[in-house]
Amino acid sequence: MISKATIDTVFETARVEEVIGDFVQLKRAGSNFKGLSPFSSERSPSFMVSPVKQIWKDFSSGKGGNAVAFLMEHEHFTYPEAIRYLAKKYNIEIEETEQSDEQKATVDLRESLFLVSEFAQKYFQHSLLETDEGKAIGLSYFKERGFSTETIKKFGLGYSPQAWDAFSKEALGKGYKTEFLEASGLTIVKEDQNVLDRFRGRVMFPIQSMSGRTLGFGGRILTNDKKAAKYLNSPESELYHKSKVLYGIFHAKQAIAKQNNCYLVEGYTDVIQFHQTGIENTVASSGTALTPDQIRLINRLTKNITVLFDGDAAGLRASLRGIDLILEEGMNVRVCSFPDGEDPDSFAKKYNFEQVTEYLEANSKDFIQFKASLLMADAKNDPIKKADLIREIVVSISKVPDRIQREIYVQECSRIMDISEQVLVSTLAQLIQKDTVEAGKKLKQSETSGQKSFEVVKDTNVTSTSQKVDVQYEIERKIIEILLLYGNADEEFEDVLLRNNEDGEVEQYSEKRNYKVFERVYLSLQEDEVELANPLFLAIYNNIMQFFRENETFNTEHYLMQLPQELAQEVTDVLMEDEKVTLHNWEAQNIIVKEKSHGISQYVTETILTLRWFLVDKIIEELKKEISSEPDADNSETLSMAMDYYKLIGSFSSKLGRVMSRYHI
């Protein structure tokens, strides 16, 4: 594992504007930088980078974070991969923490296999482009397929010579150990210890990870040897698990995220031809049955998959099995088939980008329409087959998590199959009964978990669209904003205290005292016994309070470093909210935006008072409901409590200078 000292050095050294500048064209906008979003198509820049805060925010997609978060979002690196990328960029030596012998052996094996695989990729490509055999056999094949030299180099395509041990001999001569050549699957070691190349006389397709490292290979034979498999893949290894990788994902990831759709094809050449045509959001399952791991890989990039089928009916029916797996992951599926005798490779070779795109848009169908039409054509007038096929389609519908979508699919299937919706709904209900019962239990629990007094703030009914829920959300968000922007600032606040006057009576008086802003917020919420209702804000509140207690100074970079990833997105959103001002260039329009820092103590006091007002107003509403529910009962005590709370709101109104019973944010 990478040591904490190395990670700290990376965060302290890396400059977010420099890292992002390698991928996005940035222009100075005051103290910040702005540019076009790399995550969506736009004409006006909504992507902001703050060198002071060392964070970025994409207002079009909602994404944001620090330099590491950008690499994880844009390049789809894992956290360790992003740290290693930055360490390499800034020439920082990576220090590994102490590991057990077993851990070291695993790390050493993986890294050695990566080195062997990368050497093999370069060897095969050199063989393809620079040797007579490679040019005559491999290169001529790729050229016949219509692949340009640029495309060949982009995908790292190569050729493995026909000699029994050409690659293995070269690798051993370069110092690579036999044990790693064998573990990678590139070399077969015979009983007499002689070595043999696994891929001989084949054109080679490197299979890369999301981050671009070579995991394994696919090789296609070009002779008519009936005893040899047409395609041969690397065997399972420490690096390569064919059920967990997708061919072309490294080159397609950015286009998939930007287009918010992934075209899923079957073979290597389908992917390459589509990319060469300009449709880069394309990956392949490499001829294997689609797996949940492969689907989840796409799910990291988009919720939308369009499955492209070859024209033959047998292939269509075989591929339908993968659709249910996609639905189970909560993803949206469309299907497009090509004319008989065509596949994505041949079709993209015949037509240009505009023509292929138009065809895909015109012929992509919702999966239910596609599946129903296809299966019903097979069943024709056979009632038994038709019944079986209806059940099969209902099973697919049951996989869809969204109820509205399920209902629409039921209506569509009813129309296509000429069967009543009632029968389909009944069958569907049986399949999802268990899930419905569990969901009902959870709903009942949430409806009966009422709270009283100030604890009413803990209401978690996120489906409510009332103004009060919106107001509460905004007030709590402002509290988080205050803590992030001014939490460590020293400010003067007015305290209301009690004392005995000359007549011995208790009276109020005010006194100004200095507090840290975070201390003032903490004491105010503690005084009212209030806990933030929004679970995300509550988690951030607890985290930042702990950070203030443990650190004398507040540094945004250091704070984000220790923040869990699930909280970092919201924190970045709050921190970059003010930067929207620079996007619109208000000053050029003679609109002056007031700086909150000009009156921090007033801003804090008003926000806390507004929260108190809101909570008291909710209590009054509860008391009013109690009175109206029992009009004949003695409600004098309840009325008295309500009047006391009304007086309290009157004091809030006076302090805030607002009309009574109105709170603004």
Side-chain angles (χ1 to χ4, degrees):
M1 293 175 63
I2 303 172
S3 70
K4 186 178 184 301
T6 299
I7 294 173
D8 290 345
T9 303
V10 166
F11 273 98
E12 290 168 3
T13 307
R15 303 293 303 168
V16 68
E17 66 274 21
E18 294 173 352
V19 175
I20 294 176
D22 290 341
F23 303 93
V24 180
Q25 186 177 3
L26 298 174
K27 293 182 179 179
R28 175 71 70 173
S31 61
N32 300 315
F33 290 93
K34 65 181 179 180
L36 295 174
S37 168
F39 303 107
S40 61
S41 298
E42 62 179 14
R43 294 183 179 180
S44 299
S46 68
F47 184 85
M48 298 294 299
V49 179
S50 171
V52 175
K53 298 172 183 175
Q54 281 298 292
I55 56 176
W56 59 277
K57 173 68 179 178
D58 178 26
F59 291 101
S60 66
S61 68
K63 301 177 188 293
N66 53 21
V68 170
F70 178 83
L71 291 171
M72 292 175 71
E73 286 284 357
H74 191 266
E75 294 300 294
H76 304 285
F77 287 160
T78 62
Y79 184 85
E81 286 172 342
I83 294 296
R84 291 183 186 277
Y85 173 91
L86 291 173
K88 184 177 181 180
K89 176 179 174 65
Y90 288 97
N91 296 315
I92 298 170
E93 186 176 349
I94 295 178
E95 178 185 283
E96 303 282 352
T97 56
E98 192 64 32
Q99 297 172 313
S100 67
D101 291 341
E102 185 178 347
Q103 288 174 322
K104 285 180 180 177
T106 302
V107 172
D108 289 345
L109 173 60
R110 284 182 60 83
E111 195 55 38
S112 297
L113 292 180
F114 274 128
L115 292 174
V116 166
S117 296
E118 286 159 11
F119 167 76
Q121 187 274 317
K122 291 175 182 176
Y123 170 84
F124 294 139
Q125 183 153 91
H126 178 271
S127 176
L128 176 78
L129 299 175
E130 305 296 336
T131 68
D132 292 338
E133 181 185 337
K135 290 178 184 178
I137 301 175
L139 189 58
S140 62
Y141 168 78
F142 286 131
K143 290 296 184 180
E144 286 174 9
R145 300 304 297 246
F147 300 156
S148 67
T149 302
E150 182 182 358
T151 297
I152 290 170
K153 289 182 177 179
K154 174 183 176 180
F155 283 89
L157 305 180
Y159 174 76
S160 180
Q162 293 178 342
W164 288 94
D165 59 355
F167 163 74
S168 299
K169 186 182 293 183
E170 181 73 14
L172 291 169
K174 295 290 185 182
Y176 293 96
K177 295 182 179 179
T178 305
E179 60 182 292
F180 299 128
L181 293 172
E182 183 179 24
S184 69
L186 290 162
T187 297
I188 299 171
V189 180
K190 301 172 72 175
E191 292 182 3
D192 58 6
Q193 298 305 303
N194 285 328
V195 294
L196 180 70
D197 292 348
R198 179 177 298 275
F199 302 98
R200 299 184 305 278
R202 292 176 183 266
V203 286
M204 302 297 291
F205 300 85
I207 300 169
Q208 295 174 298
S209 68
M210 183 82 83
S211 61
R213 302 199 78 175
T214 302
L215 303 173
F217 295 87
R220 186 192 193 283
I221 198 167
L222 301 179
T223 63
N224 294 321
D225 186 354
K226 295 182 180 180
K227 294 182 180 180
K230 182 178 179 180
Y231 276 97
L232 182 66
N233 276 16
S234 293
E236 296 283 308
S237 70
E238 183 69 28
L239 295 186
Y240 180 65
H241 304 279
K242 66 179 180 180
S243 64
K244 297 183 179 181
V245 298
L246 287 164
Y247 182 74
I249 191 70
F250 171 64
H251 297 293
K253 60 184 180 181
Q254 291 184 23
I256 292 171
K258 198 162 188 175
Q259 300 294 329
N260 195 25
N261 183 46
C262 176
Y263 289 115
L264 181 64
V265 296
E266 185 178 348
Y268 304 127
T269 58
D270 295 328
V271 170
I272 298 169
Q273 199 69 257
F274 257 56
H275 275 252
Q276 184 167 278
T277 302
I279 305 172
E280 296 187 339
N281 53 325
T282 308
V283 298
S285 56
S286 304
T288 63
L290 194 63
T291 67
D293 285 323
Q294 291 172 330
I295 298 167
R296 283 190 282 270
L297 205 58
I298 298 172
N299 204 4
R300 289 169 55 183
L301 306 170
T302 181
K303 287 287 184 183
N304 304 304
I305 295 181
T306 302
V307 183
L308 306 184
F309 289 138
D310 296 352
D312 66 289
L316 288 174
R317 286 189 293 273
S319 300
L320 285 175
R321 290 189 293 269
I323 288 179
D324 286 355
L325 292 175
I326 298 173
L327 294 173
E328 286 177 356
E329 293 298 322
M331 300 179 72
N332 306 313
V333 191
R334 294 185 70 81
V335 181
C336 180
S337 63
F338 292 92
D340 285 342
E342 297 280 13
D343 57 26
D345 179 7
S346 63
F347 193 84
K349 186 178 178 181
K350 288 180 180 178
Y351 302 101
N352 60 31
F353 171 78
E354 288 76 17
Q355 292 170 319
V356 176
T357 303
E358 286 176 9
Y359 180 86
L360 294 174
E361 290 176 354
N363 292 276
S364 292
K365 300 178 182 178
D366 181 272
F367 86 94
I368 286 292
Q369 296 175 331
F370 183 85
K371 191 171 184 178
S373 300
L374 180 69
L375 297 181
M376 288 306 295
D378 284 349
K380 295 181 180 178
N381 296 320
D382 187 327
I384 296 176
K385 281 187 177 181
K386 185 174 180 180
D388 289 340
L389 295 178
I390 289 172
R391 290 191 191 93
E392 185 178 337
I393 293 174
V394 173
V395 167
S396 291
I397 296 175
S398 72
K399 307 292 183 185
V400 179
D402 187 82
R403 289 181 62 185
I404 296 175
Q405 281 185 307
R406 287 204 301 263
E407 186 171 343
I408 292 171
Y409 290 146
V410 165
Q411 293 172 354
E412 186 65 19
C413 286
S414 172
R415 182 186 65 80
I416 294 173
M417 301 176 194
D418 192 24
I419 188 171
S420 72
E421 287 184 29
Q422 186 177 356
V423 172
L424 293 176
V425 169
S426 175
T427 307
L428 181 63
Q430 294 173 15
L431 292 171
I432 61 175
Q433 184 177 15
K434 184 178 179 181
D435 290 340
T436 304
V437 170
E438 291 178 358
K441 287 180 181 178
K442 291 180 181 178
L443 181 61
K444 189 174 181 180
Q445 290 172 358
S446 67
E447 288 176 345
T448 56
S449 59
Q451 300 288 337
K452 291 186 178 181
S453 189
F454 278 115
E455 291 187 358
V456 76
V457 77
K458 295 179 182 178
D459 178 18
T460 57
N461 183 10
V462 297
T463 61
S464 174
T465 57
S466 69
Q467 183 186 8
K468 291 186 178 183
V469 172
D470 291 340
V471 170
Q472 185 169 358
Y473 173 90
E474 295 296 339
I475 297 171
E476 292 185 358
R477 198 172 194 273
K478 280 189 177 294
I479 290 173
I480 299 300
E481 176 190 50
I482 286 168
L483 293 172
L484 289 169
L485 296 179
Y486 319 116
N488 217 39
D490 285 298
E491 291 292 321
E492 189 177 69
F493 292 89
E494 187 176 278
D495 274 342
V496 177
L497 306 171
L498 299 175
R499 66 184 175 190
N500 292 323
N501 60 20
E502 294 177 355
D503 299 326
E505 297 175 341
V506 177
E507 65 177 10
Q508 289 185 348
Y509 73 101
S510 61
E511 182 179 291
K512 292 186 176 180
R513 293 182 178 179
N514 274 38
Y515 291 93
K516 292 278 191 185
V517 168
F518 82 88
E519 294 173 336
R520 183 69 178 191
V521 171
Y522 177 78
L523 291 172
S524 297
L525 296 186
Q526 284 290 105
E527 179 184 338
D528 293 333
E529 299 180 2
V530 170
E531 189 176 75
L532 302 189
N534 185 288
L536 187 59
F537 293 154
L538 178 60
I540 295 172
Y541 175 83
N542 291 333
N543 181 280
I544 198 170
M545 283 298 178
Q546 181 179 350
F547 188 88
F548 280 128
R549 287 192 290 267
E550 295 176 355
N551 297 272
E552 293 183 9
T553 59
F554 182 81
N555 178 280
T556 304
E557 290 179 71
H558 290 161
Y559 178 64
L560 286 172
M561 279 172 57
Q562 59 81 49
L563 197 63
Q565 190 63 35
E566 61 271 18
L567 305 183
Q569 181 71 63
E570 186 66 28
V571 167
T572 304
D573 289 350
V574 173
L575 285 170
M576 292 296 282
E577 195 69 30
D578 288 349
E579 310 305 338
K580 284 184 179 179
V581 173
T582 61
L583 277 176
H584 299 290
N585 193 15
W586 296 116
E587 291 183 9
Q589 303 173 47
N590 294 319
I591 300 173
I592 308 302
V593 181
K594 181 182 176 182
E595 292 283 344
K596 297 187 183 103
S597 57
H598 292 169
I600 295 173
S601 61
Q602 180 184 352
Y603 182 53
V604 173
T605 301
E606 287 187 357
T607 303
I608 296 298
L609 276 174
T610 303
L611 178 60
R612 286 174 175 166
W613 187 343
F614 173 81
L615 295 174
V616 170
D617 200 33
K618 291 190 78 171
I619 294 172
I620 291 173
E621 290 299 317
E622 290 292 320
L623 293 174
K624 286 165 66 176
K625 287 179 182 177
E626 186 177 330
I627 293 170
S628 63
S629 65
E630 299 181 14
D632 299 328
D634 181 7
N635 292 311
S636 56
E637 185 177 343
T638 307
L639 281 168
S640 177
M641 289 175 60
M643 292 306 299
D644 287 340
Y645 281 122
Y646 268 118
K647 290 177 183 177
L648 194 55
I649 283 183
S651 71
F652 295 157
S653 178
S654 175
K655 290 177 182 177
L656 292 169
R658 299 176 189 166
V659 178
M660 190 169 174
S661 294
R662 295 292 298 271
Y663 31 78
H664 304 281
I665 49 170

